[in-house]
């Protein structure tokens, strides 16, 4: 590579540095080589050397005053301090800019769904899939978790014939659950358990043996109504009102299917499920006005005729199957005989379940279900609300502020982790650009 010759303009620009001895050996050699070739530049170089030689002897006899020396030193120290302050200002400015970027990005990300800063669930959120019954009659609550035990609360015996339909993701479909507990709060007041194997999509899971609604069910000549009532009341004479309730149940030929007494904050609560003859329900509900002060009263009437007659028709079908199997069994042998016996056992089991179902319907139609809740008024007056003092309010505000600041810094760490890859790329690009600019400027000099 050929060495580039020095121009006259560059020579004159570096002449003072040459005379002061501030150039490198290579740069001084280039200056002298150019002066050997250029007469004009050589003349300027000789004039400069003569001037330097003349000036060297001027200050031999000169003594700089002390105050001037002190002022010069002060000026030097001031300049050094100013340079140090400028360096600190640069550092602080860089840190402040970084903080502004971090704080701004944190606020921006907290205002969007870009980053989940917290993994806590809100009170209304759940960690699993919940299926809620759709299309069930009023008074029925059904809630199930996939893979967990599902609880089906039958709020009245009239709901016994209603199919259970689970709804998920906007679509209605029948769900199989690993273990379903059916709580019948009707006449029996008992629990029955059924597994998913007991129910198929063709037979919606309602009770242990509930039939599906037929597509073409003959319309009954008369409705079969199941009556019920729900009443809430409160009283200050809890024991007396409880005795009155027991006397009324006995007077109207009823009985307690369940009777639960609980206590909370010094006040008692009686929850009773009462069965009374359906024809005397209205009289019994009217008589309940003597038990406490009524808070709420609801009456229900549900027609189960379609389900009743369907179960009765299925019972007749199974009985016909049994009769036919009994005709075939005497003539069968071997495996055929075993298969007929198995079918006969299944038919007898179906007849037994359907007969139990019809008996339950008969019981629910004959006896109405009344759910009575009696609250005891608390004898203790609530403590007056105490107004917090200035110190308590200040302390609470300070604690809330500390909590908010801590949460903000945690969010800032998250946002820093989010922007770190992009920031790293920008820093590398900035360093490369800076090196390129520095190299270009150095070559120009």
């Amino acid at each position: 590579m050929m060495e580039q010759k020095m121009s006259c303009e560059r020579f004159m620009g570096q002449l003072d540095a040459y005379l002061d001895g501030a150039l490198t050996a290579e740069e001084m050699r280039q200056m002298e080589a150019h002066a050997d070739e250029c007469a004009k530049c050589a003349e300027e170089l000789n004039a400069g050397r003569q001037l330097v030689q003349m000036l060297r002897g001027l200050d031999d006899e000169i003594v700089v005053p002390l105050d001037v020396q002190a002022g010069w030193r002060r000026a030097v120290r001031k300049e050094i301090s100013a340079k140090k302050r400028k360096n600190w200002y640069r550092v602080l400015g860089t840190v402040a800019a970084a903080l502004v970027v971090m704080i701004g990005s944190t606020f921006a990300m907290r205002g969007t769904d870009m980053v989940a800063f917290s993994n806590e669930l809100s009170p209304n959120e759940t960690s699993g899939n919940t299926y809620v019954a759709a299309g069930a009659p009023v008074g029925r609550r059904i809630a199930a978790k996939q893979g967990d035990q599902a609880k089906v609360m039958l709020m009245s015996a009239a709901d016994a014939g209603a199919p259970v339909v689970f709804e998920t993701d906007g679509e209605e479909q029948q769900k199989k659950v690993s273990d379903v507990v059916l709580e019948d709060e009707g006449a029996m007041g008992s629990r029955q358990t059924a597994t998913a194997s007991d129910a198929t999509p063709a037979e919606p899971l309602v009770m242990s043996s509930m039939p599906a609604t037929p597509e073409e069910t003959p319309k009954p000549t008369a409705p079969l109504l199941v009556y019920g009532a729900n009443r809430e009341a409160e009283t200050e004479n809890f024991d007396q009102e409880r005795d009155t309730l027991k006397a009324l149940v006995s007077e109207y030929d009823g009985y307690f299917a369940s009777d639960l007494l609980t206590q909370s904050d010094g006040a008692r609560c009686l929850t009773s499920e009462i069965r009374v003859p359906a024809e005397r329900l209205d009289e019994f509900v009217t008589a309940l006005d003597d038990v406490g002060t009524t808070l709420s009263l609801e009456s229900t009437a549900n027609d189960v005729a379609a389900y009743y007659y369907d179960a009765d028709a299925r019972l007749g079908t199974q009985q016909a199957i049994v009769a036919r199997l009994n005709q075939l069994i005497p003539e069968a042998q071997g495996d055929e005989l075993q298969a007929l016996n198995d079918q006969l056992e299944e038919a007898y089991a179906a007849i037994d379940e359907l007969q139990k179902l019809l008996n339950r319907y008969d019981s629910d139609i004959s006896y109405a279900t009344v759910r009575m809740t009696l609250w005891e008024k608390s004898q203790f007056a609530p403590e007056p609300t105490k107004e917090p003092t200035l110190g308590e309010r200040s302390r609470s505000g300070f604690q809330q502020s500390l909590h908010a600041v801590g949460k903000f810094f945690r969010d800032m760490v998250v946002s820093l982790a989010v922007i770190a890859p992009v920031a790293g790329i920008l820093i590398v690009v900035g360093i490369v650009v800076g090196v390129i600019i520095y190299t270009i400027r150095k070559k120009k000099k």
Side-chain angles (χ1 to χ4, degrees):
M1 182 175 179
M2 297 181 61
E3 183 179 357
Q4 185 178 3
K5 293 185 178 181
M6 179 178 291
S7 62
C8 295
E9 182 179 357
R10 182 180 174 189
F11 180 88
M12 295 303 298
Q14 294 182 352
L15 179 58
D16 292 338
Y18 175 84
L19 296 175
D20 294 336
L23 298 179
T24 63
E26 178 61 25
E27 291 174 337
M28 294 180 68
R29 187 190 64 76
Q30 292 179 4
M31 292 282 291
E32 293 170 355
H34 181 76
D36 292 340
E37 297 177 358
C38 180
K40 181 178 179 181
C41 293
E43 181 180 353
E44 293 293 336
L45 179 59
N46 292 330
R49 287 173 175 173
Q50 293 176 7
L51 179 61
V52 171
Q53 189 65 28
M54 293 173 59
L55 292 176
R56 285 178 180 174
L58 291 179
D59 58 349
D60 293 342
E61 303 295 332
I62 298 176
V63 177
V64 180
L66 296 178
D67 56 346
V68 176
Q69 296 181 27
W72 177 78
R73 286 192 294 270
R74 284 196 300 270
V76 171
R77 287 195 297 269
K78 185 176 181 181
E79 182 66 22
I80 293 174
S81 299
K83 288 183 178 180
K84 289 182 178 180
R85 283 196 299 272
K86 288 181 180 180
N87 292 334
W88 275 108
Y89 291 155
R90 291 193 185 97
V91 173
L92 292 177
T94 303
V95 173
L99 286 176
V100 169
V101 172
M102 291 177 61
I103 292 174
S105 61
T106 301
F107 274 114
M109 292 181 184
R110 289 178 75 180
T112 63
D113 295 331
M114 179 179 179
V115 180
F117 287 105
S118 176
N119 59 356
E120 298 179 356
L121 293 178
S122 66
N124 294 329
E125 294 176 342
T126 59
S127 58
N129 295 327
T130 300
Y131 304 94
V132 182
V138 177
R140 183 185 183 125
R141 298 196 306 270
I142 304 174
K145 254 193 171 183
Q146 189 174 6
D148 296 337
Q149 191 178 47
K151 291 187 176 181
V152 179
M153 303 297 296
L154 299 180
M155 297 306 295
S156 75
D159 298 332
V164 178
V165 181
F166 295 101
E167 182 180 47
T168 172
D169 298 332
E171 298 179 358
E172 292 188 358
Q173 55 183 336
Q174 296 173 354
K175 284 290 182 181
K176 287 187 178 181
V177 220
S178 61
D179 193 11
V180 179
V181 176
L182 302 179
E183 297 183 4
D184 183 10
E185 299 181 355
M188 304 302 294
S190 61
R191 287 189 169 194
Q192 298 183 359
T193 303
T195 61
S197 61
D198 298 327
T200 62
E203 296 183 359
L205 184 60
V206 178
M207 296 175 64
S208 58
S209 60
M210 181 55 51
T213 304
E215 293 183 359
E216 295 182 0
T217 303
K219 294 184 179 180
T221 55
L224 300 178
L225 299 178
V226 174
Y227 294 99
N230 298 284
R231 182 176 184 267
E232 286 191 52
E234 64 176 2
T235 180
E236 295 180 353
N237 303 317
F238 187 83
D239 294 325
Q240 179 182 345
E241 301 291 6
R242 186 179 183 185
D243 293 338
T244 302
L245 178 62
K246 291 180 179 179
L248 286 175
V249 172
S250 177
E251 177 184 349
Y252 285 88
D253 301 325
Y255 65 91
F256 285 92
S258 65
D259 196 25
L260 177 63
L261 179 63
T262 58
Q263 185 170 351
S264 177
D265 297 331
R268 291 171 292 178
C269 176
L270 179 66
T271 305
S272 302
E273 185 176 284
I274 305 166
R275 303 299 302 280
V276 295
E279 64 272 10
R280 306 194 67 181
L281 175 63
D282 293 339
E283 299 176 30
F284 180 74
V285 172
T286 302
L288 285 180
D289 290 340
D290 296 333
V291 181
T293 303
T294 302
L295 298 178
S296 66
L297 178 62
E298 177 188 11
S299 298
T300 60
N302 295 283
D303 186 6
V304 296
Y307 301 104
Y308 185 94
Y309 288 110
D310 174 66
D312 187 61
R314 292 177 66 183
L315 177 61
T317 301
Q318 294 297 328
Q319 290 172 341
I321 292 174
V322 167
R324 179 57 179 164
L325 289 173
N326 286 327
Q327 293 175 359
L328 296 175
I329 287 176
E331 302 176 0
Q333 295 180 355
D335 293 340
E336 183 182 0
L337 177 61
Q338 182 62 40
L340 292 176
N341 283 326
D342 292 341
Q343 295 179 23
L344 185 62
E345 291 181 3
E346 293 178 359
Y348 276 127
I351 290 174
D352 185 58
E353 293 298 324
L354 289 169
Q355 190 60 59
K356 290 179 182 179
L357 182 60
L358 290 173
N359 292 340
R360 173 169 292 190
Y361 278 136
D362 291 334
S363 175
D364 292 342
I365 293 170
S366 300
Y367 275 80
T369 302
V370 179
R371 290 175 180 83
M372 176 71 187
T373 304
L374 182 62
W375 303 89
E376 181 182 24
K377 287 187 177 180
S378 177
Q379 302 297 321
F380 303 97
E383 295 183 0
T385 304
K386 184 181 178 182
E387 184 71 20
T389 63
L390 178 60
E392 292 173 344
R393 293 172 58 190
S394 300
R395 182 167 58 254
S396 175
F398 181 72
Q399 292 174 351
Q400 293 178 4
S401 178
L402 284 180
H403 177 75
V405 171
K407 185 178 184 302
F408 178 80
F409 276 107
R410 291 194 297 270
D411 294 347
M412 183 182 295
V413 172
V414 175
S415 63
L416 180 62
V418 173
I419 66 174
V422 179
I425 295 174
L426 293 178
I427 291 174
V428 172
V429 172
I431 292 175
V432 172
V433 172
V435 171
I436 294 174
I437 294 174
Y438 175 79
T439 303
I440 294 174
R441 288 182 177 178
K442 186 175 180 180
K443 286 183 178 181
K444 286 184 179 180
K445 292 181 178 180

